[in-house]
């Protein structure tokens, strides 16, 4: 795939189906809405079951979403990966019923690692931002 090409909708359908089949994503309902070379966009409806004792979306759920957004951005570059490390800044509490939108961007992809950023929004308000380093296990086209 060349830089700037958009992945086909069929690919989005396959990826979303894979996510639905994974045990974690049976608990956390996320959907990939857009994949372009080095970029991703995902959405997640915040459910009551995602709330912490303060009544806001638990930080672990938000971090899981951010990690997945970043992984999807790197996957668009045909890489199979694992998270080495990530950090997240929580900017605004997220409430049940809100729709979280995540936008991921690969900042740099080398031969063995990549650095990726994800910004999370509720409507136009940025509610969290994350950055992660990912190990490139193999290229998808080498399967």
């Amino acid at each position: 795939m060349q830089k700037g090409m958009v992945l086909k909708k069929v690919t989005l359908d396959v990826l979303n189906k894979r996510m639905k089949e994974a045990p974690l994503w049976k608990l956390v309902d996320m959907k990939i809405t857009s994949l372009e070379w080095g970029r991703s966009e995902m959405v997640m409806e915040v459910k009551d079951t995602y709330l912490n004792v303060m009544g806001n979306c638990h930080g672990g759920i938000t971090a899981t979403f951010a990690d997945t957004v970043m992984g999807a951005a790197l996957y668009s570059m045909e890489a199979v990966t694992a998270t080495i490390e990530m950090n997240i800044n929580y900017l605004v509490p997220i409430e049940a019923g809100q729709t979280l939108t995540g936008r991921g961007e690969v900042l740099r992809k080398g031969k063995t690692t990549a650095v990726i950023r994800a910004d999370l929004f509720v409507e136009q308000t940025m509610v969290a931002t994350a950055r992660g380093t990912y190990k490139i296990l193999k290229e998808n086209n080498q399967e």
Side-chain angles (χ1 to χ4, degrees), residues 1 6 14 22 26 34-35 37 47 52 55 66 69 74 77 80 83 93-94 104 123 126 134 136 140:
M1 178 179 288
V6 176
V14 168
K26 289 179 181 178
S34 174
L35 278 180
W37 190 258
K47 299 179 180 180
N52 60 23
V69 169
L74 188 51
M77 297 177 80
V80 176
T83 309
I94 305 163
E123 296 179 4
M126 185 183 289
Y134 291 74
I136 298 171
N140 282 345

Side-chain angles (χ1 to χ4, degrees), residues 62-82:
T62 306
T64 296
F65 182 65
D67 184 38
T68 306
V69 169
M70 290 187 284
L74 188 51
Y75 185 87
S76 76
M77 297 177 80
E78 302 181 348
V80 176
T81 68

Side-chain angles (χ1 to χ4, degrees), residues 42-140:
M42 295 181 65
V43 295
M44 178 181 77
E45 179 82 22
V46 179
K47 299 179 180 180
D48 290 340
T49 55
Y50 301 172
L51 303 183
N52 60 23
V53 296
M54 301 299 291
N56 298 312
C57 187
H58 190 283
I61 298 292
T62 306
T64 296
F65 182 65
D67 184 38
T68 306
V69 169
M70 290 187 284
L74 188 51
Y75 185 87
S76 76
M77 297 177 80
E78 302 181 348
V80 176
T81 68
T83 309
I84 295 174
E85 64 82 30
M86 70 173 277
N87 65 52
I88 187 165
N89 295 101
Y90 303 98
L91 307 173
V92 177
I94 305 163
E95 301 174 0
Q98 292 181 318
T99 299
L100 199 53
T101 300
R103 296 185 188 107
E105 178 182 7
V106 176
L107 302 175
R108 182 177 189 301
K109 178 183 178 268
K111 291 182 180 183
T112 60
T113 62
V115 177
I116 309 165
R117 175 183 174 160
D119 294 323
L120 309 183
F121 298 86
V122 171
E123 296 179 4
Q124 301 303 315
T125 302
M126 185 183 289
V127 296
T129 186
R131 191 189 73 228
T133 305
Y134 291 74
K135 172 75 175 163
I136 298 171
L137 303 173
K138 66 179 178 177
E139 300 293 325
N140 282 345

Side-chain angles (χ1 to χ4, degrees), residues 18-30 50 60-61 63-65 67-68:
R18 278 190 199 161
M19 285 185 9
K20 294 267 186 226
E21 293 170 352
L24 175 64
W25 287 278
K26 289 179 181 178
L27 300 172
V28 182
D29 190 21
M30 302 178 248
Y50 301 172
I61 298 292
T64 296
F65 182 65
D67 184 38
T68 306

